[in-house]
């Protein structure tokens, strides 16, 4: 397989009723594990502690790691992270780096017992890796009425078409979720794609968090799939007042919102 920008070329056989089988190459969305580690200063030495493994599409990995740390309530401000960097190479697909370490500021204290609940996350459901009901609560706060922009229905209905035009990897593979951040006027600011809908959102929020632009109190978030509890919770952590989704919400997502 050859790969670039989150896409891999694979040999396939297309089978159609009443026609000759067709051997050709096709483009697939890459799914690879990413291990997220914390870099901590302990006794004057830097130590790496693994905290999560998620199945993701390579690309914007540093933003993904930062967004995960922020939306999961592990860090709360930009100055708690000194830097985020790659380390380690995939054995399966050339040049894909599958480990990221977030090096924390010296004064940051981490509750490692709480972090045990985060260790494995599948691409389909970020909550699956958490081993207790209590672990799904990250300390998200309510968004005050004064922090909620007024947005017309026309703007909301214009967002899916704008998102669809920006989904470059989905266009070639048909196999990715997307999250996009818009201004209150409906102008697209950032879009990210991933096999995991929670990863796509962490990539968006992580980019804004590392740029020091959170909370995102004047933005609209659009997600390509359904609105799950976890996506609502991540939006709340980032201070996003409006979440729109192409798919339907779950009952718990509505309750939390």
């Amino acid at each position: 397989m050859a790969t670039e920008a989150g896409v891999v070329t694979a040999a396939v056989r297309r089978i159609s009723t009443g026609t000759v089988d067709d051997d050709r190459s096709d483009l697939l969305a890459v799914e690879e594990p990413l291990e997220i580690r914390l870099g901590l200063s302990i006794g004057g030495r830097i130590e790496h502690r693994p905290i999560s493994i998620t199945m993701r599409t390579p690309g914007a990995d540093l933003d993904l790691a930062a967004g995960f740390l922020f939306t999961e309530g592990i860090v709360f401000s930009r100055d708690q992270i000194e830097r985020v960097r790659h380390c380690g190479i995939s054995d399966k697909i050339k040049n894909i780096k599958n480990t990221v370490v977030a090096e924390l500021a010296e004064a940051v204290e981490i509750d490692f017992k709480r972090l045990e609940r985060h260790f494995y996350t599948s691409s389909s459901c970020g909550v699956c890796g958490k081993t207790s009901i209590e672990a799904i609560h990250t300390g998200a706060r309510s968004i005050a009425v004064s922090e909620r922009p007024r947005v017309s229905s026309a703007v909301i209905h214009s967002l899916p078409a704008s998102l669809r035009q920006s989904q470059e990897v989905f266009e070639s593979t048909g196999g990715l979720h997307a999250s996009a951040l818009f201004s209150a006027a409906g102008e697209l600011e950032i879009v990210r794609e991933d096999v995991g809908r929670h990863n796509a959102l962490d990539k968006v929020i992580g980019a804004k968090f590392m740029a020091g632009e959170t909370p995102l109190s004047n933005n609209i978030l659009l997600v390509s799939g359904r609105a799950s509890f976890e996506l609502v919770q991540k939006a709340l952590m980032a201070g996003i007042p409006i979440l729109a989704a192409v798919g339907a919400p779950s009952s718990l997502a509505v309750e939390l919102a």
Side-chain angles (χ1 to χ4, degrees):
M1 291 185 177
T3 183
E4 61 178 291
V7 176
V8 65
T9 302
V12 301
R13 171 166 292 183
R14 179 171 295 179
I15 300 173
S16 303
T17 302
T19 61
V20 177
D21 295 348
D22 183 14
D23 291 326
R24 61 173 65 187
S25 63
D26 198 5
L27 296 176
L28 307 177
V30 175
E31 182 173 23
E32 280 275 302
L34 179 71
E35 180 179 292
I36 300 172
R37 299 177 181 175
L38 291 180
L40 302 161
S41 177
I42 299 176
R45 292 175 31 180
I46 300 298
E47 294 187 11
H48 290 180
R49 299 281 185 89
I51 61 166
S52 182
I53 296 175
T54 185
M55 301 301 294
R56 96 316 186 182
T57 300
D61 287 341
L62 306 187
D63 290 337
L64 169 56
F68 174 84
L69 295 177
F70 176 50
T71 62
E72 294 295 324
I74 298 169
V75 299
F76 298 94
S77 64
R78 171 64 183 86
D79 59 9
Q80 290 181 298
I81 299 178
E82 293 283 355
R83 66 169 178 162
V84 187
R85 62 181 178 83
H86 273 110
C87 57
I89 303 291
S90 166
D91 292 330
K92 295 181 179 179
I93 301 178
K94 186 178 180 181
N95 295 329
I96 289 182
K97 299 181 179 181
N98 280 340
T99 304
V100 165
V101 58
E103 298 176 353
L104 302 185
E106 190 170 346
V108 177
E109 296 183 358
I110 299 296
D111 181 356
F112 284 101
K113 187 173 182 179
R114 181 173 180 270
L115 288 185
E116 291 175 359
R117 301 165 180 157
H118 292 277
F119 193 74
Y120 182 80
T121 303
S122 73
S123 61
S124 60
C125 174
V127 173
C128 299
K130 300 175 184 176
T131 58
S132 70
I133 294 298
E134 291 79 9
I136 66 177
H137 299 291
T138 56
R141 68 174 183 86
S142 297
I143 297 175
V145 173
S146 61
E147 297 176 302
R148 305 174 193 169
R150 295 181 64 86
V151 177
S152 71
S153 60
V155 166
I156 295 293
H157 283 281
S158 73
L159 303 184
S162 180
L163 172 61
R164 183 68 179 80
Q165 292 172 3
S166 302
Q167 289 182 256
E168 296 179 0
V169 182
F170 179 86
E171 183 66 29
S172 59
T173 67
L176 292 179
H177 289 285
S179 288
L181 206 61
F182 295 84
S183 70
E187 299 169 340
L188 179 64
E189 294 187 5
I190 181 174
V191 59
R192 295 290 183 267
E193 296 179 283
D194 200 275
V195 287
R197 57 179 177 265
H198 56 287
N199 289 336
L201 181 51
D202 277 342
K203 288 178 178 181
V204 166
I205 293 175
K208 292 293 188 178
F209 176 74
M210 292 302 287
E213 297 177 9
T214 54
L216 300 165
S217 54
N218 292 311
N219 289 103
I220 307 167
L221 171 67
L222 177 68
V223 297
S224 62
R226 66 183 178 87
S228 65
F229 168 89
E230 186 186 27
L231 297 189
V232 173
Q233 184 168 257
K234 287 179 180 292
L236 281 169
M237 289 296 288
I240 299 171
I242 300 175
L243 166 61
V246 174
S250 68
S251 62
L252 197 58
V254 171
E255 181 180 335
L256 178 60

